[in-house]
PDB file of all heavy atoms in Angstrom:
ATOM      1  N   LEU L   7       7.954  -1.395   3.496  1.00 98.00           N
ATOM      2  CA  LEU L   7       7.222  -2.642   3.328  1.00 98.00           C
ATOM      3  C   LEU L   7       6.261  -2.869   4.492  1.00 98.00           C
ATOM      4  O   LEU L   7       5.094  -3.240   4.298  1.00 98.00           O
ATOM      5  CB  LEU L   7       8.192  -3.820   3.204  1.00 98.00           C
ATOM      6  CG  LEU L   7       9.208  -3.748   2.062  1.00 98.00           C
ATOM      7  CD1 LEU L   7      10.078  -5.010   2.056  1.00 98.00           C
ATOM      8  CD2 LEU L   7       8.518  -3.584   0.722  1.00 98.00           C
ATOM      9  N   LEU L   8       6.748  -2.619   5.699  1.00 98.00           N
ATOM     10  CA  LEU L   8       5.902  -2.777   6.873  1.00 98.00           C
ATOM     11  C   LEU L   8       4.780  -1.736   6.865  1.00 98.00           C
ATOM     12  O   LEU L   8       3.628  -2.044   7.204  1.00 98.00           O
ATOM     13  CB  LEU L   8       6.733  -2.649   8.146  1.00 98.00           C
ATOM     14  CG  LEU L   8       5.952  -2.666   9.465  1.00 98.00           C
ATOM     15  CD1 LEU L   8       5.159  -3.960   9.611  1.00 98.00           C
ATOM     16  CD2 LEU L   8       6.897  -2.481  10.648  1.00 98.00           C
ATOM     17  N   GLY L   9       5.110  -0.516   6.497  1.00 98.00           N
ATOM     18  CA  GLY L   9       4.102   0.539   6.481  1.00 98.00           C
ATOM     19  C   GLY L   9       2.928   0.195   5.569  1.00 98.00           C
ATOM     20  O   GLY L   9       1.751   0.365   5.945  1.00 98.00           O
ATOM     21  N   MET L  10       3.231  -0.305   4.383  1.00 98.00           N
ATOM     22  CA  MET L  10       2.160  -0.669   3.455  1.00 98.00           C
ATOM     23  C   MET L  10       1.393  -1.887   3.949  1.00 98.00           C
ATOM     24  O   MET L  10       0.168  -1.985   3.747  1.00 98.00           O
ATOM     25  CB  MET L  10       2.747  -0.927   2.067  1.00 98.00           C
ATOM     26  CG  MET L  10       3.280   0.324   1.390  1.00 98.00           C
ATOM     27  SD  MET L  10       2.035   1.621   1.168  1.00 98.00           S
ATOM     28  CE  MET L  10       1.071   0.956  -0.182  1.00 98.00           C
ATOM     29  N   ARG L  11       2.078  -2.782   4.606  1.00 98.00           N
ATOM     30  CA  ARG L  11       1.387  -3.956   5.163  1.00 98.00           C
ATOM     31  C   ARG L  11       0.374  -3.518   6.226  1.00 98.00           C
ATOM     32  O   ARG L  11      -0.764  -4.012   6.269  1.00 98.00           O
ATOM     33  CB  ARG L  11       2.407  -4.925   5.757  1.00 98.00           C
ATOM     34  CG  ARG L  11       1.794  -6.163   6.419  1.00 98.00           C
ATOM     35  CD  ARG L  11       1.082  -7.047   5.397  1.00 98.00           C
ATOM     36  NE  ARG L  11       0.431  -8.186   6.020  1.00 98.00           N
ATOM     37  CZ  ARG L  11       0.991  -9.390   6.140  1.00 98.00           C
ATOM     38  NH1 ARG L  11       2.226  -9.607   5.694  1.00 98.00           N
ATOM     39  NH2 ARG L  11       0.341 -10.383   6.701  1.00 98.00           N
ATOM     40  N   LEU L  12       0.763  -2.582   7.076  1.00 98.00           N
ATOM     41  CA  LEU L  12      -0.148  -2.088   8.116  1.00 98.00           C
ATOM     42  C   LEU L  12      -1.384  -1.440   7.495  1.00 98.00           C
ATOM     43  O   LEU L  12      -2.518  -1.669   7.944  1.00 98.00           O
ATOM     44  CB  LEU L  12       0.579  -1.072   9.006  1.00 98.00           C
ATOM     45  CG  LEU L  12       1.724  -1.598   9.874  1.00 98.00           C
ATOM     46  CD1 LEU L  12       2.445  -0.441  10.548  1.00 98.00           C
ATOM     47  CD2 LEU L  12       1.202  -2.584  10.915  1.00 98.00           C
ATOM     48  N   ALA L  13      -1.157  -0.626   6.457  1.00 98.00           N
ATOM     49  CA  ALA L  13      -2.271   0.077   5.816  1.00 98.00           C
ATOM     50  C   ALA L  13      -3.199  -0.897   5.090  1.00 98.00           C
ATOM     51  O   ALA L  13      -4.430  -0.812   5.195  1.00 98.00           O
ATOM     52  CB  ALA L  13      -1.729   1.120   4.844  1.00 98.00           C
ATOM     53  N   PHE L  14      -2.610  -1.828   4.357  1.00 98.00           N
ATOM     54  CA  PHE L  14      -3.414  -2.791   3.592  1.00 98.00           C
ATOM     55  C   PHE L  14      -4.214  -3.687   4.534  1.00 98.00           C
ATOM     56  O   PHE L  14      -5.414  -3.911   4.326  1.00 98.00           O
ATOM     57  CB  PHE L  14      -2.507  -3.629   2.695  1.00 98.00           C
ATOM     58  CG  PHE L  14      -3.259  -4.463   1.701  1.00 98.00           C
ATOM     59  CD1 PHE L  14      -3.550  -3.976   0.448  1.00 98.00           C
ATOM     60  CD2 PHE L  14      -3.679  -5.746   2.027  1.00 98.00           C
ATOM     61  CE1 PHE L  14      -4.247  -4.742  -0.478  1.00 98.00           C
ATOM     62  CE2 PHE L  14      -4.384  -6.530   1.117  1.00 98.00           C
ATOM     63  CZ  PHE L  14      -4.677  -6.022  -0.147  1.00 98.00           C
ATOM     64  N   ASP L  15      -3.566  -4.192   5.554  1.00 98.00           N
ATOM     65  CA  ASP L  15      -4.261  -5.072   6.503  1.00 98.00           C
ATOM     66  C   ASP L  15      -5.420  -4.343   7.179  1.00 98.00           C
ATOM     67  O   ASP L  15      -6.469  -4.942   7.469  1.00 98.00           O
ATOM     68  CB  ASP L  15      -3.284  -5.587   7.561  1.00 98.00           C
ATOM     69  CG  ASP L  15      -2.337  -6.646   7.020  1.00 98.00           C
ATOM     70  OD1 ASP L  15      -2.489  -7.048   5.852  1.00 98.00           O
ATOM     71  OD2 ASP L  15      -1.426  -7.063   7.764  1.00 98.00           O
ATOM     72  N   HIS L  16      -5.239  -3.060   7.448  1.00 98.00           N
ATOM     73  CA  HIS L  16      -6.314  -2.272   8.062  1.00 98.00           C
ATOM     74  C   HIS L  16      -7.535  -2.223   7.148  1.00 98.00           C
ATOM     75  O   HIS L  16      -8.673  -2.443   7.603  1.00 98.00           O
ATOM     76  CB  HIS L  16      -5.801  -0.858   8.345  1.00 98.00           C
ATOM     77  CG  HIS L  16      -6.872   0.125   8.708  1.00 98.00           C
ATOM     78  ND1 HIS L  16      -7.633  -0.002   9.853  1.00 98.00           N
ATOM     79  CD2 HIS L  16      -7.332   1.244   8.060  1.00 98.00           C
ATOM     80  CE1 HIS L  16      -8.506   1.001   9.917  1.00 98.00           C
ATOM     81  NE2 HIS L  16      -8.340   1.764   8.840  1.00 98.00           N
ATOM     82  N   LEU L  17      -7.314  -1.962   5.864  1.00 98.00           N
ATOM     83  CA  LEU L  17      -8.437  -1.885   4.927  1.00 98.00           C
ATOM     84  C   LEU L  17      -9.116  -3.234   4.764  1.00 98.00           C
ATOM     85  O   LEU L  17     -10.352  -3.324   4.692  1.00 98.00           O
ATOM     86  CB  LEU L  17      -7.948  -1.360   3.580  1.00 98.00           C
ATOM     87  CG  LEU L  17      -7.488   0.098   3.577  1.00 98.00           C
ATOM     88  CD1 LEU L  17      -6.893   0.478   2.219  1.00 98.00           C
ATOM     89  CD2 LEU L  17      -8.637   1.041   3.936  1.00 98.00           C
ATOM     90  N   VAL L  18      -8.325  -4.297   4.713  1.00 98.00           N
ATOM     91  CA  VAL L  18      -8.897  -5.644   4.604  1.00 98.00           C
ATOM     92  C   VAL L  18      -9.723  -5.975   5.850  1.00 98.00           C
ATOM     93  O   VAL L  18     -10.805  -6.567   5.758  1.00 98.00           O
ATOM     94  CB  VAL L  18      -7.783  -6.681   4.386  1.00 98.00           C
ATOM     95  CG1 VAL L  18      -8.329  -8.100   4.534  1.00 98.00           C
ATOM     96  CG2 VAL L  18      -7.159  -6.507   3.010  1.00 98.00           C
ATOM     97  N   SER L  19      -9.227  -5.575   7.018  1.00 98.00           N
ATOM     98  CA  SER L  19      -9.953  -5.867   8.261  1.00 98.00           C
ATOM     99  C   SER L  19     -11.310  -5.162   8.304  1.00 98.00           C
ATOM    100  O   SER L  19     -12.238  -5.624   8.981  1.00 98.00           O
ATOM    101  CB  SER L  19      -9.109  -5.441   9.476  1.00 98.00           C
ATOM    102  OG  SER L  19      -9.056  -4.018   9.584  1.00 98.00           O
ATOM    103  N   LEU L  20     -11.442  -4.056   7.558  1.00 98.00           N
ATOM    104  CA  LEU L  20     -12.711  -3.337   7.489  1.00 98.00           C
ATOM    105  C   LEU L  20     -13.663  -3.954   6.466  1.00 98.00           C
ATOM    106  O   LEU L  20     -14.831  -3.568   6.392  1.00 98.00           O
ATOM    107  CB  LEU L  20     -12.458  -1.867   7.122  1.00 98.00           C
ATOM    108  CG  LEU L  20     -11.716  -1.023   8.161  1.00 98.00           C
ATOM    109  CD1 LEU L  20     -11.412   0.362   7.601  1.00 98.00           C
ATOM    110  CD2 LEU L  20     -12.523  -0.904   9.450  1.00 98.00           C
ATOM    111  N   GLY L  21     -13.146  -4.885   5.659  1.00 97.00           N
ATOM    112  CA  GLY L  21     -13.987  -5.568   4.688  1.00 97.00           C
ATOM    113  C   GLY L  21     -13.830  -5.107   3.258  1.00 97.00           C
ATOM    114  O   GLY L  21     -14.610  -5.506   2.374  1.00 97.00           O
ATOM    115  N   HIS L  22     -12.816  -4.310   2.974  1.00 98.00           N
ATOM    116  CA  HIS L  22     -12.622  -3.811   1.606  1.00 98.00           C
ATOM    117  C   HIS L  22     -12.009  -4.893   0.718  1.00 98.00           C
ATOM    118  O   HIS L  22     -11.043  -5.567   1.100  1.00 98.00           O
ATOM    119  CB  HIS L  22     -11.714  -2.583   1.616  1.00 98.00           C
ATOM    120  CG  HIS L  22     -12.365  -1.367   2.194  1.00 98.00           C
ATOM    121  ND1 HIS L  22     -13.233  -0.577   1.479  1.00 98.00           N
ATOM    122  CD2 HIS L  22     -12.287  -0.825   3.437  1.00 98.00           C
ATOM    123  CE1 HIS L  22     -13.653   0.419   2.252  1.00 98.00           C
ATOM    124  NE2 HIS L  22     -13.100   0.282   3.447  1.00 98.00           N
ATOM    125  N   THR L  23     -12.588  -5.030  -0.473  1.00 96.00           N
ATOM    126  CA  THR L  23     -12.062  -5.972  -1.473  1.00 96.00           C
ATOM    127  C   THR L  23     -11.712  -5.268  -2.781  1.00 96.00           C
ATOM    128  O   THR L  23     -11.158  -5.893  -3.683  1.00 96.00           O
ATOM    129  CB  THR L  23     -13.088  -7.080  -1.771  1.00 96.00           C
ATOM    130  OG1 THR L  23     -14.316  -6.488  -2.226  1.00 96.00           O
ATOM    131  CG2 THR L  23     -13.357  -7.916  -0.531  1.00 96.00           C
ATOM    132  N   GLU L  24     -12.040  -3.979  -2.877  1.00 97.00           N
ATOM    133  CA  GLU L  24     -11.727  -3.180  -4.074  1.00 97.00           C
ATOM    134  C   GLU L  24     -10.793  -2.045  -3.652  1.00 97.00           C
ATOM    135  O   GLU L  24     -11.209  -0.912  -3.432  1.00 97.00           O
ATOM    136  CB  GLU L  24     -13.001  -2.633  -4.720  1.00 97.00           C
ATOM    137  CG  GLU L  24     -13.962  -3.697  -5.210  1.00 97.00           C
ATOM    138  CD  GLU L  24     -13.428  -4.458  -6.427  1.00 97.00           C
ATOM    139  OE1 GLU L  24     -12.515  -3.933  -7.109  1.00 97.00           O
ATOM    140  OE2 GLU L  24     -13.926  -5.571  -6.692  1.00 97.00           O
ATOM    141  N   ILE L  25      -9.520  -2.381  -3.498  1.00 98.00           N
ATOM    142  CA  ILE L  25      -8.511  -1.437  -3.014  1.00 98.00           C
ATOM    143  C   ILE L  25      -7.589  -1.059  -4.167  1.00 98.00           C
ATOM    144  O   ILE L  25      -7.111  -1.930  -4.901  1.00 98.00           O
ATOM    145  CB  ILE L  25      -7.674  -2.049  -1.874  1.00 98.00           C
ATOM    146  CG1 ILE L  25      -8.584  -2.476  -0.708  1.00 98.00           C
ATOM    147  CG2 ILE L  25      -6.615  -1.062  -1.383  1.00 98.00           C
ATOM    148  CD1 ILE L  25      -7.867  -3.268   0.370  1.00 98.00           C
ATOM    149  N   VAL L  26      -7.318   0.226  -4.317  1.00 98.00           N
ATOM    150  CA  VAL L  26      -6.400   0.720  -5.345  1.00 98.00           C
ATOM    151  C   VAL L  26      -5.240   1.440  -4.677  1.00 98.00           C
ATOM    152  O   VAL L  26      -5.452   2.275  -3.783  1.00 98.00           O
ATOM    153  CB  VAL L  26      -7.102   1.669  -6.337  1.00 98.00           C
ATOM    154  CG1 VAL L  26      -6.102   2.190  -7.373  1.00 98.00           C
ATOM    155  CG2 VAL L  26      -8.251   0.961  -7.030  1.00 98.00           C
ATOM    156  N   HIS L  27      -4.048   1.126  -5.112  1.00 98.00           N
ATOM    157  CA  HIS L  27      -2.853   1.840  -4.639  1.00 98.00           C
ATOM    158  C   HIS L  27      -2.461   2.895  -5.663  1.00 98.00           C
ATOM    159  O   HIS L  27      -2.258   2.582  -6.839  1.00 98.00           O
ATOM    160  CB  HIS L  27      -1.705   0.858  -4.437  1.00 98.00           C
ATOM    161  CG  HIS L  27      -0.397   1.505  -4.070  1.00 98.00           C
ATOM    162  ND1 HIS L  27      -0.310   2.626  -3.264  1.00 98.00           N
ATOM    163  CD2 HIS L  27       0.892   1.193  -4.413  1.00 98.00           C
ATOM    164  CE1 HIS L  27       0.959   2.971  -3.110  1.00 98.00           C
ATOM    165  NE2 HIS L  27       1.695   2.120  -3.812  1.00 98.00           N
ATOM    166  N   ILE L  28      -2.386   4.150  -5.233  1.00 98.00           N
ATOM    167  CA  ILE L  28      -1.837   5.212  -6.082  1.00 98.00           C
ATOM    168  C   ILE L  28      -0.332   5.207  -5.863  1.00 98.00           C
ATOM    169  O   ILE L  28       0.159   5.549  -4.783  1.00 98.00           O
ATOM    170  CB  ILE L  28      -2.444   6.578  -5.755  1.00 98.00           C
ATOM    171  CG1 ILE L  28      -3.951   6.559  -6.047  1.00 98.00           C
ATOM    172  CG2 ILE L  28      -1.762   7.667  -6.580  1.00 98.00           C
ATOM    173  CD1 ILE L  28      -4.643   7.886  -5.820  1.00 98.00           C
ATOM    174  N   VAL L  29       0.387   4.805  -6.895  1.00 98.00           N
ATOM    175  CA  VAL L  29       1.815   4.491  -6.794  1.00 98.00           C
ATOM    176  C   VAL L  29       2.665   5.748  -6.981  1.00 98.00           C
ATOM    177  O   VAL L  29       2.487   6.495  -7.946  1.00 98.00           O
ATOM    178  CB  VAL L  29       2.194   3.440  -7.851  1.00 98.00           C
ATOM    179  CG1 VAL L  29       3.673   3.102  -7.767  1.00 98.00           C
ATOM    180  CG2 VAL L  29       1.341   2.187  -7.687  1.00 98.00           C
ATOM    181  N   GLY L  30       3.586   5.971  -6.068  1.00 98.00           N
ATOM    182  CA  GLY L  30       4.506   7.096  -6.179  1.00 98.00           C
ATOM    183  C   GLY L  30       5.568   6.857  -7.246  1.00 98.00           C
ATOM    184  O   GLY L  30       5.696   5.746  -7.774  1.00 98.00           O
ATOM    185  N   PRO L  31       6.360   7.886  -7.571  1.00 97.00           N
ATOM    186  CA  PRO L  31       7.381   7.779  -8.618  1.00 97.00           C
ATOM    187  C   PRO L  31       8.333   6.608  -8.381  1.00 97.00           C
ATOM    188  O   PRO L  31       8.881   6.442  -7.287  1.00 97.00           O
ATOM    189  CB  PRO L  31       8.126   9.122  -8.514  1.00 97.00           C
ATOM    190  CG  PRO L  31       7.117  10.056  -7.921  1.00 97.00           C
ATOM    191  CD  PRO L  31       6.320   9.232  -6.969  1.00 97.00           C
ATOM    192  N   GLN L  32       8.549   5.812  -9.409  1.00 97.00           N
ATOM    193  CA  GLN L  32       9.337   4.597  -9.265  1.00 97.00           C
ATOM    194  C   GLN L  32      10.842   4.837  -9.311  1.00 97.00           C
ATOM    195  O   GLN L  32      11.623   3.920  -9.059  1.00 97.00           O
ATOM    196  CB  GLN L  32       8.933   3.588 -10.333  1.00 97.00           C
ATOM    197  CG  GLN L  32       7.530   3.034 -10.126  1.00 97.00           C
ATOM    198  CD  GLN L  32       7.393   2.298  -8.808  1.00 97.00           C
ATOM    199  OE1 GLN L  32       7.859   1.180  -8.655  1.00 97.00           O
ATOM    200  NE2 GLN L  32       6.757   2.928  -7.831  1.00 97.00           N
ATOM    201  N   ASN L  33      11.261   6.045  -9.646  1.00 97.00           N
ATOM    202  CA  ASN L  33      12.692   6.357  -9.576  1.00 97.00           C
ATOM    203  C   ASN L  33      13.116   6.694  -8.155  1.00 97.00           C
ATOM    204  O   ASN L  33      14.311   6.851  -7.878  1.00 97.00           O
ATOM    205  CB  ASN L  33      13.051   7.514 -10.516  1.00 97.00           C
ATOM    206  CG  ASN L  33      12.431   8.825 -10.083  1.00 97.00           C
ATOM    207  OD1 ASN L  33      11.267   8.870  -9.667  1.00 97.00           O
ATOM    208  ND2 ASN L  33      13.181   9.907 -10.190  1.00 97.00           N
ATOM    209  N   LEU L  34      12.154   6.796  -7.249  1.00 97.00           N
ATOM    210  CA  LEU L  34      12.436   7.071  -5.836  1.00 97.00           C
ATOM    211  C   LEU L  34      12.231   5.801  -5.021  1.00 97.00           C
ATOM    212  O   LEU L  34      11.287   5.036  -5.270  1.00 97.00           O
ATOM    213  CB  LEU L  34      11.524   8.178  -5.308  1.00 97.00           C
ATOM    214  CG  LEU L  34      11.526   9.498  -6.078  1.00 97.00           C
ATOM    215  CD1 LEU L  34      10.571  10.484  -5.424  1.00 97.00           C
ATOM    216  CD2 LEU L  34      12.936  10.079  -6.157  1.00 97.00           C
ATOM    217  N   SER L  35      13.087   5.587  -4.043  1.00 97.00           N
ATOM    218  CA  SER L  35      12.978   4.377  -3.226  1.00 97.00           C
ATOM    219  C   SER L  35      11.644   4.307  -2.502  1.00 97.00           C
ATOM    220  O   SER L  35      11.095   3.213  -2.310  1.00 97.00           O
ATOM    221  CB  SER L  35      14.128   4.326  -2.215  1.00 97.00           C
ATOM    222  OG  SER L  35      14.054   5.421  -1.312  1.00 97.00           O
ATOM    223  N   THR L  36      11.109   5.462  -2.111  1.00 97.00           N
ATOM    224  CA  THR L  36       9.827   5.469  -1.404  1.00 97.00           C
ATOM    225  C   THR L  36       8.715   4.913  -2.289  1.00 97.00           C
ATOM    226  O   THR L  36       7.933   4.059  -1.869  1.00 97.00           O
ATOM    227  CB  THR L  36       9.488   6.884  -0.945  1.00 97.00           C
ATOM    228  OG1 THR L  36       9.693   7.801  -2.031  1.00 97.00           O
ATOM    229  CG2 THR L  36      10.360   7.300   0.229  1.00 97.00           C
ATOM    230  N   GLY L  37       8.631   5.402  -3.527  1.00 98.00           N
ATOM    231  CA  GLY L  37       7.602   4.911  -4.435  1.00 98.00           C
ATOM    232  C   GLY L  37       7.790   3.446  -4.778  1.00 98.00           C
ATOM    233  O   GLY L  37       6.830   2.657  -4.795  1.00 98.00           O
ATOM    234  N   TYR L  38       9.026   3.070  -5.031  1.00 98.00           N
ATOM    235  CA  TYR L  38       9.346   1.692  -5.421  1.00 98.00           C
ATOM    236  C   TYR L  38       9.037   0.711  -4.292  1.00 98.00           C
ATOM    237  O   TYR L  38       8.405  -0.337  -4.506  1.00 98.00           O
ATOM    238  CB  TYR L  38      10.822   1.614  -5.808  1.00 98.00           C
ATOM    239  CG  TYR L  38      11.295   0.251  -6.208  1.00 98.00           C
ATOM    240  CD1 TYR L  38      11.021  -0.267  -7.475  1.00 98.00           C
ATOM    241  CD2 TYR L  38      12.027  -0.545  -5.319  1.00 98.00           C
ATOM    242  CE1 TYR L  38      11.456  -1.535  -7.848  1.00 98.00           C
ATOM    243  CE2 TYR L  38      12.466  -1.803  -5.687  1.00 98.00           C
ATOM    244  CZ  TYR L  38      12.177  -2.293  -6.948  1.00 98.00           C
ATOM    245  OH  TYR L  38      12.610  -3.547  -7.301  1.00 98.00           O
ATOM    246  N   LEU L  39       9.468   1.043  -3.078  1.00 98.00           N
ATOM    247  CA  LEU L  39       9.290   0.120  -1.961  1.00 98.00           C
ATOM    248  C   LEU L  39       7.840   0.084  -1.473  1.00 98.00           C
ATOM    249  O   LEU L  39       7.359  -0.969  -1.031  1.00 98.00           O
ATOM    250  CB  LEU L  39      10.228   0.497  -0.815  1.00 98.00           C
ATOM    251  CG  LEU L  39      11.716   0.279  -1.098  1.00 98.00           C
ATOM    252  CD1 LEU L  39      12.568   0.849   0.024  1.00 98.00           C
ATOM    253  CD2 LEU L  39      12.014  -1.201  -1.299  1.00 98.00           C
ATOM    254  N   ARG L  40       7.142   1.213  -1.537  1.00 98.00           N
ATOM    255  CA  ARG L  40       5.737   1.195  -1.132  1.00 98.00           C
ATOM    256  C   ARG L  40       4.901   0.371  -2.108  1.00 98.00           C
ATOM    257  O   ARG L  40       3.975  -0.333  -1.698  1.00 98.00           O
ATOM    258  CB  ARG L  40       5.207   2.627  -1.008  1.00 98.00           C
ATOM    259  CG  ARG L  40       5.779   3.352   0.198  1.00 98.00           C
ATOM    260  CD  ARG L  40       5.454   4.832   0.235  1.00 98.00           C
ATOM    261  NE  ARG L  40       6.323   5.498   1.215  1.00 98.00           N
ATOM    262  CZ  ARG L  40       6.385   6.811   1.415  1.00 98.00           C
ATOM    263  NH1 ARG L  40       5.616   7.618   0.694  1.00 98.00           N
ATOM    264  NH2 ARG L  40       7.212   7.312   2.309  1.00 98.00           N
TER     265      ARG L  40
END
């Protein structure tokens, strides 16, 4: 959760408003939590 917050906040700070997340497999905790 923190990792994605750091990445998202970085992109927002650069001025991005059209951000897409490529989502990992949802049967894995990594994909689900990210």
Side-chain angles (χ1 to χ4, degrees):
L7 302 181
L8 175 59
M10 291 301 285
R11 178 65 183 266
L12 293 173
F14 190 91
D15 286 355
H16 168 64
L17 292 174
V18 169
S19 72
L20 293 174
H22 289 280
T23 58
E24 298 290 340
I25 302 172
V26 179
H27 175 36
I28 297 183
V29 180
Q32 291 299 285
N33 67 319
L34 305 180
S35 63
T36 47
Y38 179 78
L39 292 173
R40 289 171 195 174

